[in-house]
Amino acid sequence: MRRLSAALLCGLSALPSAAPAQEAVPDTIVTGTRVPTPQERVPASITVLTRREIEERGYQTLTEALTAVPGLRVAQLGGPGQQASTFLRGTNSRHVLVLLDGVPLTDPSEPNAAFNFGNELLFDVERIEVLRGPASALYGSAALGGVVNLVTRRAPPGRAFAPYGELAGGTQRTLRAGAGATGTVGAFDYLLSAQSFSTRGFNAIAQRLPDTGERDGFRGVFTTARLGWTPAEGTRIEGLLRWRQNNLGLDDVPRDDPNYSGEDRRWYGQVRGETRLFGGAWTTGLRLAATEDRRRYVNLPDSLSASTADDLYRGTRTTLDWGNTVRLPAVGVLTDGALGFGVTHAFEEARSASGSPFFRTTVDATQRTTAGYATLQYRLGERLDLTAGLRHDATTGFTDETTWRLGAALALPELRSRLRASGGTGFAAPSLFQRFGIIGDFFRGNPDLRPERSIGWEAGVETDLPAFGRPAFATTSATYFRSRIRDLINFNAGFDTLENVDRARIQGVELGLTLRPAAWFEATTAWTVTGAFDAETGRRLPRRPEHVVSVTARVRPASKVVIAPTVLFTGRSPEGAFASYNDQGVPFPYQRSNPPGTVVNLTATWQAFDQAALFLEARNLGNSRFEPANGFATPGRSVLVGTRFAL
């Protein structure tokens, strides 16, 4: 119920370690163009988090891993498992598409079609790729603000059995354990991975509110299995199955309820085949993927309330995708040409029932989407990379959508610089709830809603600065971005349906500085300045702070020791939720803005043995009570110690 209320009320708001880790294609990016391309030649803003970085910085959830990404602001309502939203370059949380190995993960039964970033653990993830800017020409709906692609671990060649694992425990009765193995045996390769994570947690309700909160614990279990077969060079068939279940206590405001709990399950599977034709010039592949989400939230009667809630959400998605990459011959000064094209078909279904008898909310609906896309890229004069993309999506019941994207990346080795510019359009289709949802006898969804649409562009430069005998003593970067969004979905004046009524304008700059004064020290500062406004009223959009700064460092004082501190500063932001909330006649202590806050984390790793390491992960060292969202404070100070191995 709380999640549905937040979705309704928010409106507009609403990818060598201590122990060796396997690296999957570390020098190329697929997310940015759908064609494997070196990162420096991708004409888009991309951040890549490798397995080494995930471990050295102690990231255990996807939310943690994204906090230091430029242009991205995370707002989580508590600890692991709690609702976590991301605002990428000022766009709504539902405007960020999340993929697992290229397959969408969003739950179709989520009322606002927004992904909950607080649910994902990272033990089976090899890398995280974050693409910023409109990418619907590549991935369709929801990629209006950008894409987050989780790439699972891969088997190393030439090793029949490569086990890995970790065990850690700490404050708040936290226990984290994981074990896995990968290997290649002849023409076959495999991955087996399992992780469990439990914690007593914190009371995330802000101290300024009535003290009725309690600790909200979390228990999560993840398992992943992959089997691949390579019968001949260039031909591969693989199947992947992933399951997770999270059980958690839920915080609520302004009065927390100790009996409010949730269970969140997901099955994910895919079968994929790929082969090369015509001497490797043409790669074609077919993939069938399916996800099934089941979420249940229960609130039993207690001294605070006699009411009972039993909310159930079920969402399924089946995707069939045919993708191709054709390497093109040189044409004059144009080289390294590639044409990508394909067709994808998705079937989505949502079944949900939640809320009280008066405020009963139900959805029972399906929809199908068929899309065709094409991308083209060439290199001019060995230094200018040009890309173009076009996609057409047709969804049952509303207007088709055609999106495009253009980009260029220019290498200037004489100046040790790289220039980048891109622009395109994006869209986010209305959710099944927005089209077909029912609330009591006073609200009906609008099946005639149009997709939310955007147009945006960016331009940036990155420069390496030599000093003190080091060719890249420092790297500076600056990217300006601008976008306009129209047809945003919100309630009509009578609150009895939804309409395309809102518009937004967004601009900002992402500034970066990386210093490498010595081989044992590297520090990166990312400063994002964002102006996100309602185009009608001129007011700032909720939960989009003007300033977000992150400082990450990798310090190696000894050959076997790595220290990774992180400082995260979030500036003041307007708050849009709970403005008119009342509880038993007592007005909610509503803040019109969320004050700024700073959180300091630290991870230290000691490579005690060649194949095993000890680590310490300390979170929120200053015990900050910063509220990323109105009424919900950052979880308090915690420490976790453990060991990690890879044989």
Side-chain angles (χ1 to χ4, degrees), residues 552-568:
T552 59
R554 184 179 191 268
V555 184
R556 197 170 184 177
S559 61
K560 295 186 177 182
V561 177
V562 174
I563 301 173
T566 302
V567 180
L568 305 168

Side-chain angles (χ1 to χ4, degrees), residues 100-429:
L100 180 67
D101 290 336
V103 176
L105 285 183
T106 304
D107 179 3
S109 71
E110 208 287 326
N112 207 30
F115 183 79
N116 181 7
F117 290 81
N119 268 325
E120 298 300 317
L121 303 180
L122 301 176
F123 186 68
D124 64 346
V125 174
E126 184 64 46
R127 57 197 275 120
I128 305 170
E129 298 178 359
V130 182
L131 167 65
R132 304 189 289 281
S136 290
L138 298 172
Y139 298 102
S141 178
L144 188 151
V147 176
V148 177
N149 187 23
L150 308 179
V151 181
T152 53
R153 291 184 187 237
R154 298 286 161 175
R159 294 193 62 187
F161 183 59
Y164 57 90
E166 68 174 20
L167 179 64
T171 56
Q172 292 75 53
R173 301 178 185 174
T174 300
L175 179 63
R176 194 175 82 212
T182 64
T184 301
V185 181
F188 293 90
D189 61 85
Y190 65 91
L191 163 70
L192 297 172
S193 178
Q195 181 185 20
S196 67
F197 174 44
S198 64
T199 181
R200 187 184 177 197
F202 291 89
N203 175 18
I205 302 301
Q207 294 178 345
R208 60 184 175 81
L209 301 181
D211 188 17
T212 58
E214 92 283 47
R215 293 176 180 263
D216 290 287
F218 172 87
R219 300 191 312 275
V221 178
F222 276 64
T223 60
T224 305
R226 176 195 289 111
L227 179 62
W229 178 40
T230 306
E233 184 179 358
T235 298
R236 177 174 173 80
I237 300 173
E238 70 172 35
L240 175 70
L241 187 63
R242 191 179 195 243
W243 174 77
R244 71 151 169 80
Q245 176 172 320
N246 294 336
N247 294 87
L248 58 148
L250 292 168
D251 280 310
D252 208 354
V253 293
R255 298 188 184 278
D256 197 11
D257 193 325
N259 291 323
Y260 197 10
S261 62
E263 181 182 81
D264 193 318
R265 300 178 184 175
R266 174 186 293 137
W267 285 97
Y268 166 99
Q270 68 162 299
V271 178
R272 181 173 66 92
E274 183 178 272
T275 190
R276 296 177 185 173
L277 306 174
F278 307 111
W282 185 349
T283 301
T284 186
L286 189 67
R287 170 166 51 195
L288 176 64
T291 60
E292 180 181 80
D293 289 89
R294 181 187 183 276
R295 297 179 290 123
R296 186 182 184 188
Y297 308 107
V298 177
N299 188 10
L300 301 176
D302 55 31
S303 59
L304 297 177
S305 174
S307 63
T308 300
D310 191 349
D311 305 336
L312 182 62
Y313 300 83
R314 295 177 182 268
T316 62
R317 174 188 288 105
T318 303
T319 304
L320 180 61
D321 180 77
W322 177 52
N324 301 268
T325 300
V326 180
R327 295 293 175 178
L328 301 176
V331 181
V333 294
L334 296 175
T335 60
D336 292 346
L339 171 67
F341 65 93
V343 177
T344 182
H345 177 80
F347 173 77
E348 296 174 301
E349 181 179 30
R351 302 282 186 267
S352 65
S354 62
S356 63
F358 168 74
F359 205 74
R360 194 64 172 171
T361 301
T362 60
V363 178
D364 187 351
T366 63
Q367 69 181 18
R368 299 176 183 271
T369 300
T370 301
Y373 65 89
T375 63
L376 178 66
Q377 62 186 57
Y378 260 112
R379 197 167 208 210
L380 176 63
E382 296 300 320
R383 63 170 61 198
L384 177 62
D385 289 277
L386 304 170
T387 67
L390 186 69
R391 179 178 173 121
H392 182 80
D393 287 76
T395 302
T396 53
F398 63 84
T399 307
D400 296 359
E401 193 68 22
T402 300
T403 50
W404 57 268
R405 183 180 177 91
L406 299 173
L410 176 64
L412 298 174
E414 302 84 356
L415 302 177
R416 300 176 181 268
S417 299
R418 296 161 294 280
L419 305 179
R420 184 181 63 252
S422 64
T425 57
F427 82 101

